[in-house]
Amino acid sequence: MERLSSRDNPRVKHLHALAGSARDRRKHGETVLDGAHLIEAALQAGMPLKSVFVSETGLATAEIATLVDELPSATSLTQLTDPVFAHVSPVDSPSGVLALIDVPAQTAAPTGTTSVIVLDAVQDPGNLGTILRTAAAAGIRTAWLTPGCAQAWSPRVLRAGMGAHFKLELNEQVDALTSLASFPGRVLATGLSAGARPLYALDLAGSIAWLFGAEGQGVSPALQRRADQIVTIPMAEGVESLNVGAAAAVCLFEQMRQREFARASDN
Amino acid sequence: MERLSSRDNPRVKHLHALAGSARDRRKHGETVLDGAHLIEAALQAGMPLKSVFVSETGLATAEIATLVDELPSATSLTQLTDPVFAHVSPVDSPSGVLALIDVPAQTAAPTGTTSVIVLDAVQDPGNLGTILRTAAAAGIRTAWLTPGCAQAWSPRVLRAGMGAHFKLELNEQVDALTSLASFPGRVLATGLSAGARPLYALDLAGSIAWLFGAEGQGVSPALQRRADQIVTIPMAEGVESLNVGAAAAVCLFEQMRQREFARASDN
C-alpha cells in the first residue's frame, strides 16, 4: 500500500481542497466520504469509490480493517500518516478513513411520479442532511433542492445524511416551479395562511410534493402560491413553529403512517 | 443609558465569560439570552431580566428599539459599542441585543404527572435545543436531562430551543432511574429489541415518559431496561435509524395526533 507523509503531495492537496471547499468540489465533480459508515453505505448502493485513504491509527481499528478487507479488489488504497490524515479530514476528530467519489450525475430535467421533497433554500448543512435522512427513512425517493440550499454532497451534509444520499435521487440547483409544472400529484407546503388545514385532517394518499423552506423565512412566496394546499402542524398554545427538520419528520411520517398503518381513513 | 466601550470593563468581562464558558454559567447561576426573539419569549413567560445590553447598530433597528421600549421600566439597560458587543456575543453574527438572566431554580426531586421527556446524554447543543422546542410544541411540559447532556441553558441550546426553555419545567443533572421510580405513567423508549412494537400500533393515551438517547448509542442499557415498552418507528427498507431530533418529533407528534385528532382508536 502506498504511504503518503507530506502535505505537499498533489493527491493530499487535492483531497484537502475537496474536503474544505465547495468550489473545488463543484469544479472537479468530486467529493469526500468520511468514515466507515458512510463508505459502507456507498458500497452497498453500488457506488464506485475512486480511491480510499486510511490513517495509520484508523487501519489499526477493527471496523476500518474490516472495511478495507471488503473493498473491491481494484480499489486504489493509500495510507496517510496521522498528521496528514488530520490535515485532509473534514472533521475535527478524524475518523481514520476517507473515500474519494464522483458526485453522481443528476437528471437534467427532474421529474417525479411518486412523492418528492422540495427543499427551498435550506442553508444549514446539518438541517439539510437530517431532512434527507428523514425523507429516505420515510420512503421518499426523490429530493429537489433549489439553488439557495447548501451543497448536498458536502462532507457536513453527507455526515448528517448518514447514507441517505445513496438512497435518494438527489437533484440540486432545481428550478422548483418548472419541475412542479409536470408533477402529477398534489403540492403541499407547511405554513400559516387563510385556507390552511391541519396535517391530521388531510388524506395523504397518492403522490405528494412536500415543500419545506429555510428556517425563519419558510418557502418562498412564489412556491407557496404554487401549493395546492397549505398545511399546518397543530401545536401547543403559544408555540409558533418547529425546526424545519422536525416539521419534515412530522409530515413525512404522517404520510408513512397513513400509507402503512391506518386501518381506516380519518377523513 | 450607560455606554461601555472597553473590553476591560468588569461587566463586559462577566458577560463574555457567561457567553463562552459552561463553568462560569454554572458558577454564577446565570446565562445570556441572545437576540430579540429569545428575550421577548422570556418576557412573555414573566422571567426577570437582570440587565439588557444593546449594540449601537442594534439599537438603530426597529425590532430592537421596540423591544427596548417594551422593557419593564426598572430594567437595567446598557449600550455597548459595536466592537465590545461583538466581543461578548456568543454568536458569529451579533444580534444586537443580549439579556443577562438567572438560570431558573429547578425542583430538587423532579416528578411528573403528565407526559415527560427524558433525554439521556444528548450532547449536541443543536439537537438538544431542537428536541426541547419540539417537545414544547407537542404539548410536553416537563423535561428531565441526565448528567451526560449538554448544558441546557447554554447560548447554543437556548438559540435552538427558540423559547422552549420558558415553556418547559426543565430539570438538569437528573438521576432518571430514581425519578422514574415515582412516575405514575408508562415508560417508552425507542429502539430495536425483542418485544418492540411499532409506534403506530400503540395507544398513547395517558401519561408517558419518553426516553430518547444520544445519537449513536441510544438510551443507556439501564434506562432501556426500565422501559415498559420498546417502540420502533417503522422505516423504509434498508434505513436503520433517524436523527434523535427527528425520532422525537415523530413520537411526540403521534401522541399529539392521537390525543387531539384521532376519532377512533387504531388499537
Side-chain angles (χ1 to χ4, degrees):
Chain A
M1 188 183 339
E2 191 181 3
R3 182 169 174 278
L4 303 177
S5 58
S6 165
R7 294 183 178 197
D8 295 329
N9 178 285
R11 294 177 65 207
V12 170
K13 283 175 141 172
H14 182 58
L15 258 188
H16 179 72
L18 292 177
S21 154
R23 215 180 63 167
D24 278 289
R25 287 190 293 273
R26 201 155 30 231
K27 181 172 139 198
H28 295 285
E30 294 176 326
T31 192
V32 173
L33 305 179
D34 177 52
H37 179 91
L38 213 46
I39 295 172
E40 267 159 20
L43 286 172
Q44 274 172 27
M47 168 156 294
L49 308 180
K50 294 175 84 169
S51 43
V52 173
F53 299 84
V54 290
S55 72
E56 292 165 309
T57 304
L59 197 55
T61 66
E63 186 185 29
I64 292 175
T66 306
L67 173 68
V68 164
D69 280 346
E70 287 167 355
L71 290 174
S73 54
T75 311
S76 147
L77 183 65
T78 306
Q79 192 174 95
L80 304 179
T81 59
D82 284 347
V84 168
F85 192 94
H87 172 65
V88 298
S89 174
V91 294
D92 291 339
S93 319
S95 65
V97 61
L98 297 172
L100 185 69
I101 63 165
D102 281 328
V103 170
Q106 59 178 49
T107 40
T111 54
T113 49
T114 57
S115 291
V116 307
I117 50 165
V118 183
L119 303 180
D120 187 29
V122 176
Q123 284 166 17
D124 181 80
N127 267 343
L128 180 57
T130 298
I131 297 172
L132 296 177
R133 182 180 174 189
T134 298
I140 299 283
R141 302 224 186 89
T142 309
W144 298 346
L145 279 53
T146 70
C149 285
Q151 199 183 61
W153 291 89
S154 77
R156 288 180 63 197
V157 178
L158 278 160
R159 189 174 349 135
M162 292 281 283
H165 288 70
F166 309 116
K167 298 197 170 71
L168 291 166
E169 187 190 314
L170 205 53
N171 294 284
E172 298 188 77
Q173 306 287 328
V174 170
D175 177 339
L177 280 175
T178 303
S179 291
L180 285 171
S182 58
F183 181 74
R186 282 176 300 161
V187 180
L188 303 188
T190 52
L192 292 166
S193 74
R197 294 186 65 198
L199 175 68
Y200 304 116
L202 296 174
D203 180 349
L204 301 175
S207 305
I208 291 175
W210 291 100
L211 312 186
F212 298 106
E215 193 74 25
Q217 294 104 292
V219 169
S220 73
L223 264 181
Q224 190 99 359
R225 278 194 297 275
R226 173 60 184 81
D228 299 311
Q229 178 66 56
I230 305 294
V231 181
T232 54
I233 299 173
M235 292 180 210
E237 212 184 308
V239 180
E240 293 154 38
S241 67
L242 284 172
N243 165 282
V244 58
V250 171
C251 291
L252 299 178
F253 275 86
E254 173 59 10
Q255 186 182 22
M256 151 83 99
R257 183 193 71 80
Q258 290 192 14
R259 191 173 57 226
E260 309 279 346
F261 289 86
R263 311 257 166 92
S265 168
D266 286 334
N267 266 357
Chain B
M1 187 184 340
E2 192 182 1
R3 181 169 175 279
L4 302 178
S5 59
S6 165
R7 295 184 178 196
D8 295 329
N9 177 286
R11 294 176 65 208
V12 170
K13 282 176 145 174
H14 182 58
L15 257 188
H16 179 72
L18 292 177
S21 155
R23 218 180 61 167
D24 278 289
R25 288 190 294 272
R26 201 155 32 229
K27 182 171 141 199
H28 296 284
E30 295 175 325
T31 192
V32 174
L33 305 180
D34 177 53
H37 178 91
L38 213 45
I39 295 172
E40 267 160 19
L43 286 171
Q44 275 173 23
M47 167 153 295
L49 308 179
K50 294 176 84 170
S51 44
V52 173
F53 300 84
V54 289
S55 71
E56 292 165 308
T57 305
L59 197 55
T61 67
E63 186 184 30
I64 293 175
T66 306
L67 173 68
V68 164
D69 280 345
E70 289 167 355
L71 291 174
S73 55
T75 310
S76 148
L77 182 66
T78 305
Q79 192 173 96
L80 304 180
T81 60
D82 283 347
V84 168
F85 193 95
H87 172 66
V88 299
S89 174
V91 295
D92 292 339
S93 318
S95 64
V97 61
L98 296 172
L100 186 67
I101 62 165
D102 281 327
V103 170
Q106 60 179 47
T107 41
T111 54
T113 49
T114 58
S115 291
V116 308
I117 50 164
V118 182
L119 303 180
D120 187 28
V122 177
Q123 285 167 16
D124 181 80
N127 266 343
L128 180 57
T130 299
I131 298 172
L132 296 177
R133 181 179 175 190
T134 298
I140 299 283
R141 301 223 189 89
T142 309
W144 298 346
L145 278 52
T146 70
C149 285
Q151 199 182 63
W153 291 88
S154 76
R156 287 180 63 198
V157 178
L158 279 159
R159 190 175 348 137
M162 293 280 283
H165 289 69
F166 310 117
K167 299 198 168 72
L168 292 165
E169 188 190 312
L170 205 52
N171 294 283
E172 298 188 77
Q173 305 287 327
V174 170
D175 177 338
L177 280 174
T178 303
S179 291
L180 285 171
S182 59
F183 180 75
R186 282 175 300 160
V187 180
L188 303 187
T190 51
L192 292 166
S193 74
R197 293 186 65 198
L199 175 68
Y200 304 116
L202 297 173
D203 180 349
L204 302 174
S207 305
I208 292 175
W210 290 100
L211 312 185
F212 299 107
E215 192 75 23
Q217 293 104 295
V219 169
S220 73
L223 265 180
Q224 190 99 359
R225 278 193 297 275
R226 173 61 184 83
D228 299 310
Q229 178 67 55
I230 304 294
V231 181
T232 54
I233 298 173
M235 293 179 210
E237 212 184 308
V239 179
E240 293 153 38
S241 66
L242 283 172
N243 166 282
V244 59
V250 171
C251 291
L252 299 178
F253 274 86
E254 173 60 11
Q255 185 182 21
M256 151 83 99
R257 184 193 70 80
Q258 290 191 15
R259 191 172 60 227
E260 309 278 346
F261 289 86
R263 311 257 167 92
S265 166
D266 286 333
N267 266 356

